[in-house]
């Protein structure tokens, strides 16, 4: 019981000591303090072009690798006269280009580079659209025509990417 009484007395003493200081009570509330507002400092951060360039280059290399892989796989299906396999082979490339598009959109590029980025995104979308058209093909002749359309889209994509 003695310990509880002493603990209560100690808490009461601490509370009273805290309130009786010169900074507490009604005296403190009568004092008005003002601080001068500091001028806000604004900074503009420009994207580190070498870092963005390295990231972009890595994205392009990944997409280019997917293009090469798809061509190699498709050639295997063509050798076997497997139309549905050739059509299915475009799916992985389409997904890789879709991922490329999403990653390019996230890059922090300066305003003076926006036009080039828009060109890349436009050509990527066109390339994806051509790949999507494969699913409608039922004849080898249509497939060969689609290959030509894809080659044109791929060339336009490389042109935009390299610019």
């Amino acid at each position: 019981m003695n310990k509880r009484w002493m603990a209560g007395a100690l808490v009461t003493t601490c509370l009273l000591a805290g309130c009786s200081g010169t900074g507490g009570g009604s005296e403190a509330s009568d004092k008005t303090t003002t601080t001068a507002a500091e001028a806000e400092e604004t900074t503009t951060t420009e994207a580190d072009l070498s870092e963005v360039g390295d990231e972009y280059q890595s994205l392009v290399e990944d997409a280019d690798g997917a293009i090469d892989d798809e061509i190699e796989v498709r050639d295997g299906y063509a050798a076997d006269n497997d139309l549905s396999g050739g059509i299915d082979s475009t799916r992985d490339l389409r997904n890789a280009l879709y991922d490329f598009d999403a990653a390019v959109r996230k890059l922090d590029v300066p305003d003076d580079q926006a036009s080039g980025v828009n060109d890349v995104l436009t050509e990527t979308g066109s390339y994806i659209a051509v790949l999507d058209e494969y699913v409608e093909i039922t004849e080898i002749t249509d497939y060969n025509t689609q290959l030509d359309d894809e080659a044109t889209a791929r060339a336009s994509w490389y042109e935009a990417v390299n610019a």
Side-chain angles (χ1 to χ4, degrees):
M1 181 92 156
N2 270 346
K3 289 182 183 177
R4 285 188 193 159
W5 177 83
M6 289 186 69
L10 181 60
V11 169
T12 304
T13 304
C14 288
L15 286 173
L16 290 174
C19 291
S20 67
T22 59
S26 62
E27 289 178 22
S29 64
D30 292 341
K31 295 180 181 175
T32 306
T33 58
T34 58
T35 57
E38 294 182 26
E40 288 188 30
E41 186 176 322
T42 57
T43 58
T44 55
T45 313
E46 292 203 21
D48 180 0
L49 287 181
S50 67
E51 185 177 314
V52 171
D54 290 345
E55 189 173 351
Y56 176 74
Q57 183 64 35
S58 177
L59 294 171
V60 170
E61 288 173 5
D62 290 347
D64 183 55
I67 291 169
D68 289 344
D69 291 347
E70 193 267 341
I71 290 171
E72 184 178 327
V73 168
R74 185 183 327 173
D75 286 349
Y77 287 117
D80 295 337
N81 289 321
D82 183 356
L83 178 62
S84 66
I87 292 169
D88 287 343
S89 72
T90 63
R91 185 177 304 123
D92 289 339
L93 175 56
R94 185 209 183 280
N95 291 339
L97 289 174
Y98 184 83
D99 292 344
F100 170 82
D101 183 274
V104 169
R105 289 176 189 274
K106 291 179 184 177
L107 293 176
D108 185 22
V109 296
D111 291 342
D112 65 336
Q113 300 294 316
S115 177
V117 171
N118 287 336
D119 291 345
V120 169
L121 295 174
T122 298
E123 293 305 326
T124 302
S126 296
Y127 197 169
I128 290 170
V130 168
L131 293 172
D132 286 345
E133 292 173 6
Y134 275 103
V135 297
E136 298 172 12
I137 294 174
T138 58
E139 301 295 324
I140 296 286
T141 55
D142 295 334
Y143 181 81
N144 291 333
T145 301
Q146 192 63 29
L147 281 174
D148 292 340
D149 293 346
E150 182 188 350
T152 301
R154 183 175 44 251
S156 296
W157 182 81
Y158 276 119
E159 185 178 319
V161 163
N162 289 328

